[in-house]
Each structure stands twice: as structure tokens, then as C-alpha cells.
Amino acid sequence: MFSTGLVGLARRHFVADRRRLVVGVLAIGLAMMLILLLEGLWQGVKTQASIYPDHAGAQLIVTQPGVANFTGDTNTLPVSTVATVRRVKGVDWAAPVRGQFVVFDLHQQKVAAYVVGYVPGGRGGPWQLAEGRAVRGDDEVVVDSSLADRHGLGIGDQLRVGGGGFRIVGLSSGTSATMTGFVFISHAAAARLLPAQGTTSYVLVGTTTPAPTAARVPMVGLTVFPPPQLAAHALYRPPRHLASPTT
């Protein structure tokens, strides 16, 4: 009885002042829109954190000690780390990957993208091509198709990455997230353009026995994560060594 009376009082109050009713309805609508917007942004952040680890084709990803965020932390390993990882029992293959945020000048606009340097013909490159082919040479680049569409880029066009000129030979699909898209060049080209010569960022590892292999990697002084765990760290742990984008 008491609750029914309160509901009736509230109804009469709102109906008596239609402006207040309209404002109240609009406020509720705006609150719902904000919730949906935040949910969409959160989904985008989760996609951003996991898109590369989920699609790189590796069962494990090796990082330097203390680094657990694929795109948010600066990670530097000697190139010799690849050979070290390959000697670990249970490792079927190991591939170096260099990663760095880069800011392009496109049509007088600053555009951020995440550049991935990988060994052509090896692991770590674009997992799906919408057009063209993968990188074969050190002067070639594959660009995320969504990024290319937004800026009128196509096969055969030139793109400057970190001060170097590259010819677009492929457009990748499924390689974009809310905040940025991925751009793929050769590991050798990335080594020339990005800081810290003679290094790589991560080592992708293929293995049929992930758990025991992951247990052995720390014995050689490295940190290793399964891709889902690396993505989860990026979501719930703030970046510790966020890199400044290269221009």
C-alpha cells in the first residue's frame, strides 16, 4: 500500500509538470546512451589489447622481464634471444617481432598506427589479406584496409613509415581496433627505422606443449605468456614503459 502510494504520488508529480517529465525522460535516455558508449569503448579497448596476440599464431609470447602489455609497454630483447628460445625443450619454432607506435602524416593529418616488423615468409605478419600480397622486401608494406580506406591509400601507393619510404603491396583485414590499425613491414626494415639496433620486441613461440615449455623459458632469464594472459594483463594492468610514438 505504501509503495503504491509513492508510485502514484510520483506519477502525479511528473504529469503536473510536463517539462520536468520531458527533462527526466531525456536524462534517462542520455544516461543509457552514455552506458552504451562506454560499453562500446570498453569492447574496443579489449579488442585493441588482444587482437595481435590472439591472431599471431603463437602458443607463447616471450617478453623481457617486467613487461606484460603487448602494445602499451616498451619491450626490448637482443636478437640473440630468438636463438636462445629455439634451444628450449618443447619449442617447435620461434620468430622475432618488432613493434612500435608510429605517427604518419597523411593528408596533413597526424595518424597513429602500430607498426609490426616480422621476417617475410615467417610468423607474425598479417593473418588475413583483403587485397594484394604479403611483404617480401624491405621496401614494402602491408596496411590495414580500414586505415587505407579512411585515407585513400591503395596497392602501389607510397607510404612513409618512421622516415622511410615503402610501397604498399597488400591490404590486411581484421587488423584494426578502436584506436589504431596495424601496419606490417619486414623485421630488417623495422630494425633500421625504429630505436635500439640489434634488438627485437617479442619472440613468438610455437609449441605443442605450451604449459611445460612455458615453465622452462624463465630458466633462461626470460618472461613468457600465453596470448590470452598477455591480453588480460594489458586490460587490467597500466602500461609501465609506454613508448613515445615514432614519427
Side-chain angles (χ1 to χ4, degrees):
M1 178 68 72
F2 180 72
S3 297
T4 303
L6 285 178
V7 171
L9 177 62
R11 184 183 297 114
R12 288 194 299 273
H13 180 71
F14 275 116
V15 172
D17 190 342
R18 295 186 179 277
R19 288 178 300 179
R20 184 172 296 175
L21 173 62
V22 171
V23 171
V25 171
L26 289 175
I28 294 171
L30 288 172
M32 293 299 296
M33 290 176 60
L34 180 60
I35 291 171
L36 292 174
L37 175 62
L38 292 175
E39 174 64 20
L41 289 173
W42 176 239
Q43 292 298 326
V45 169
K46 289 196 289 185
T47 300
Q48 175 77 23
S50 65
I51 187 170
Y52 189 88
D54 284 350
H55 292 87
Q59 287 71 54
L60 300 171
I61 298 178
V62 173
T63 74
Q64 75 180 59
V67 170
N69 188 329
F70 191 87
T71 57
D73 286 351
T74 299
N75 192 63
T76 304
L77 295 168
V79 173
S80 60
T81 304
V82 180
T84 300
V85 172
R86 285 172 179 162
R87 290 193 294 267
V88 174
K89 183 180 178 181
V91 171
D92 297 327
W93 57 265
V97 170
R98 291 210 60 168
Q100 175 76 39
F101 274 107
V102 170
V103 176
F104 305 105
D105 283 308
L106 294 175
H107 311 298
Q108 299 181 338
Q109 291 182 333
K110 296 291 186 180
V111 179
Y114 193 82
V115 172
V116 174
Y118 73 105
V119 178
R123 314 290 180 130
W127 45 92
Q128 186 175 355
L129 288 173
E131 188 178 348
R133 59 171 174 80
V135 168
R136 296 174 186 164
D138 296 341
D139 61 345
E140 298 177 342
V141 61
V142 170
V143 178
D144 170 66
S145 58
S146 297
L147 179 65
D149 289 343
R150 287 197 300 270
H151 298 281
L153 299 173
I155 302 295
D157 289 345
Q158 292 290 318
L159 180 68
R160 295 197 67 80
V161 179
F166 295 83
R167 182 170 61 90
I168 299 176
V169 297
L171 301 178
S172 58
S173 60
T175 52
S176 64
T178 301
M179 292 178 285
T180 188
F182 284 80
V183 173
F184 301 87
I185 61 178
S186 73
H187 194 279
R192 291 198 305 267
L193 298 176
L194 304 179
Q197 298 295 310
T199 65
T200 194
S201 300
Y202 301 90
V203 179
L204 307 180
V205 177
T207 175
T208 56
T209 56
T213 303
R216 297 184 190 104
V217 171
M219 298 177 185
V220 294
L222 299 168
T223 302
V224 63
F225 296 97
Q229 186 179 351
L230 192 63
H233 273 275
L235 290 173
Y236 300 109
R237 169 184 163 181
R240 294 178 57 190
H241 313 290
L242 186 62
S244 299
T246 300
T247 57

